[in-house]
Amino acid sequence: MESEQTNSENERLSIKNGIYTTLILNISNNYFPLFAISVLGATNYQVGLISSLPQFIGMFAMIIGSIIINRLQEKKMFTVYSFFVARLFLVGIALVVFIPDKYQAIVFIVLVGLMNFPFSFANLSWQAFIGDIIQEDRRSGFFSTRNKMMTIIGMVSTFFIGIFLQFFDKSNPTPYVVLYLLAFAFGLLELHYLKQHAEPKKKVVIKEKTSLFGIAVFKNKPFLYFIISALFFNFAWQMCWILFSIYQIKFAGATGLWISLFAVANSIGQIVSFKWWARMSDKHSNAKMLILVSIGMAVAPWMTLVSTNLVFLVITNIFAGLFVSGTVLLLFNQLLDVTTEDNRSICISNYNILLAFIAFIAPQFGVYLLETTNIYTAMNISGFLRAFSGVFFFFLYLYLKRREGVTFKRKMAKI
């Protein structure tokens, strides 16, 4: 009974913590490209670095973080301290507008990049931490509820931020300074709820000959095949992120309000579909539903290119949100499914290190396509690659299904 109460309390605290995390991301990260283009006058390549540089720095952070985390008996306080340091960077970003104009864009990009060093620690340890305290049979329901609540809060906050930005000239830095400082304040509340989680103490046995990068975990075929599928999908998915921002701001002329409306529309699509994805993953498996996610995500860039009409782009973002929710839920659940309690931390570390590498090169590849061809060709290629990633998930599903059948037969044979 006490364990059940602890689990329920941890889930409640995690939802509250996630709400403030969402507020921080919506207030800060969502408006980094608009701030860089409209206020700091950043170039396309500099805007691309906003997405890729943090991931490049994050790779090194995750290598170091994986060594530390795999030796921790308790991960909570390490997660708390890492988040705190990451949130301090928001204060520095808010002060960028007070340095000479010619240095503003590059200093902003460097700060955004460096912020991902402690944030990578935080994200890595949080994933391992939450995987330890949330029971496997509760994950789909809990994460769908948590993601839904976070998305609702994010939608409402983003809408009001958009209205707030409308009261200022597009190139006025004042509202952004206010927002980044507010994000730091929310970070303190985020940490407050994170610290209240109850964490079981685990005895960690460190093997002397453990590989620095945990290469041995790739001998686990379910994890290896998932890694290959997920990385290809993430490359196709993330190469288009910065292209959407450039298309919306430079080609469609979106202001802060419209950027907010796009985010709100995307959130609406996520909210109405979270529970559905959770039910379908329980019924059909995560791998099988990721095939559908790939197809849906492929349609998003193709739909976007149909028109620069801002109202139409709002509708497009609602459609995209239906599949973003599935992407977030299914990828994380599938990652947990192909790991065990013994190797989960090292598997998550390796996954995030490789994901960071993909997240570094993907936006730069997207910008390269934009500069060498045009926005239409670049986004069409992204759509095609997103669709093709469904082939990888299809073979992953077949492998896991066949493996599940073999395991079942072995168990019956022993009986």
Side-chain angles (χ1 to χ4, degrees):
M1 182 67 179
E2 184 178 346
S3 177
E4 182 66 26
Q5 289 178 342
T6 300
N7 290 335
S8 298
E9 180 66 7
N10 277 338
E11 291 176 8
R12 184 185 67 83
L13 290 169
S14 182
I15 289 173
K16 288 188 175 182
N17 164 255
I19 286 172
Y20 285 105
T21 300
T22 299
L23 287 171
I24 295 165
L25 294 176
N26 281 355
I27 289 174
S28 56
N29 296 40
N30 280 1
Y31 296 93
F32 280 167
L34 182 64
F35 176 64
I37 294 172
S38 301
V39 178
L40 306 182
T43 65
N44 285 343
Y45 276 113
Q46 287 176 327
V47 175
L49 284 171
I50 294 173
S51 292
S52 59
L53 183 61
Q55 305 306 325
F56 179 73
I57 292 175
M59 279 190 293
F60 299 101
M62 287 177 188
I63 293 171
I64 299 170
S66 65
I67 299 172
I68 297 172
I69 292 166
N70 292 323
R71 286 160 172 73
L72 292 176
Q73 285 184 297
E74 297 178 352
K75 303 179 181 72
K76 181 176 72 173
M77 292 313 299
F78 180 77
T79 308
V80 169
Y81 294 137
S82 299
F83 269 118
F84 176 69
V85 175
R87 300 318 181 198
L88 281 175
F89 275 86
L90 291 169
V91 178
I93 290 172
L95 301 178
V96 162
V97 297
F98 297 105
I99 65 176
D101 292 352
K102 63 180 180 178
Y103 301 118
Q104 287 181 0
I106 190 64
V107 170
F108 169 72
I109 291 168
V110 169
L111 285 175
V112 170
L114 291 176
M115 180 170 64
N116 204 44
F117 194 89
F119 184 75
S120 295
F121 280 5
N123 188 50
L124 195 62
S125 56
W126 180 86
Q127 288 184 10
F129 169 61
I130 206 71
D132 288 342
I133 67 174
I134 303 298
Q135 296 177 347
E136 185 176 353
D137 59 345
R138 299 172 70 106
R139 282 175 191 158
S140 290
F142 164 69
F143 284 121
S144 65
T145 299
R146 185 179 189 270
N147 290 346
K148 185 176 181 178
M149 287 298 299
M150 290 169 63
T151 306
I152 291 173
I153 296 298
M155 178 184 68
V156 174
S157 62
T158 301
F159 177 73
F160 283 107
I161 291 169
I163 294 177
F164 170 69
L165 291 175
Q166 284 298 103
F167 289 100
F168 300 88
D169 183 74
K170 193 175 182 179
S171 59
N172 190 337
T174 302
Y176 297 98
V177 173
V178 173
L179 290 175
Y180 297 149
L181 292 177
L182 181 61
F184 172 73
F186 283 142
L188 300 179
L189 293 171
E190 171 194 38
L191 298 178
H192 170 72
Y193 288 110
L194 183 58
K195 286 177 65 176
Q196 292 185 22
H197 284 69
E199 179 184 20
K201 191 171 184 177
K202 293 170 58 181
K203 184 177 180 181
V204 179
V205 179
I206 304 172
K207 298 179 181 179
E208 292 183 4
K209 295 184 179 180
T210 299
S211 171
L212 178 64
F213 303 105
I215 301 299
V217 298
F218 293 106
K219 294 179 181 179
N220 176 13
K221 288 186 177 180
F223 177 68
L224 174 62
Y225 296 158
F226 166 73
I227 280 281
I228 294 171
S229 304
L231 292 182
F232 186 90
F233 172 78
N234 272 278
F235 178 84
W237 180 28
Q238 296 184 38
M239 66 172 282
C240 206
W241 284 2
I242 205 64
L243 298 180
F244 279 122
S245 296
I246 292 172
Y247 182 83
Q248 291 165 355
I249 297 169
K250 290 191 173 183
F251 289 81
T255 62
L257 177 60
W258 283 105
I259 294 296
S260 297
L261 290 175
F262 297 153
V264 168
N266 195 282
S267 298
I268 291 173
Q270 294 183 52
I271 290 167
V272 300
S273 59
F274 269 128
K275 288 290 185 182
W276 186 83
W277 287 112
R279 289 198 305 271
M280 293 299 102
S281 69
D282 288 337
K283 183 177 180 180
H284 298 287
S285 81
N286 295 303
K288 187 175 183 179
M289 295 310 297
L290 279 166
I291 301 170
L292 180 59
V293 161
S294 302
I295 298 171
M297 294 295 280
V299 176
W302 296 334
M303 283 184 64
T304 299
L305 293 174
V306 171
S307 173
T308 56
N309 181 278
L310 293 171
V311 175
F312 177 79
L313 292 178
V314 169
I315 297 172
T316 300
N317 273 277
I318 294 176
F319 174 83
L322 297 174
F323 295 92
V324 170
S325 59
T327 300
V328 173
L329 178 68
L330 298 173
L331 282 177
F332 188 56
N333 280 355
Q334 186 64 69
L335 172 61
L336 297 180
D337 284 349
V338 296
T339 61
T340 64
E341 188 174 343
D342 294 334
N343 70 5
R344 181 166 295 127
S345 293
I346 194 66
C347 284
I348 291 175
S349 299
N350 279 271
Y351 173 68
N352 279 282
I353 291 169
L354 293 171
L355 198 61
F357 176 72
I358 293 297
F360 167 64
I361 63 174
Q364 290 301 305
F365 182 67
V367 173
Y368 170 77
L369 287 177
L370 171 64
E371 294 291 328
T372 54
T373 57
N374 54 63
I375 190 69
Y376 301 99
T377 300
M379 292 182 73
N380 275 319
I381 290 175
S382 174
F384 171 77
L385 292 177
R386 290 183 181 194
F388 190 74
S389 64
V391 176
F392 286 85
F393 287 124
F394 174 71
F395 284 110
L396 174 66
Y397 166 71
L398 290 181
Y399 171 77
L400 293 176
K401 194 73 175 175
R402 183 170 62 252
R403 185 173 182 272
E404 182 182 307
V406 171
T407 302
F408 177 76
K409 288 180 180 179
R410 286 176 179 173
K411 287 182 179 179
M412 293 300 293
K414 290 180 179 180
I415 296 175

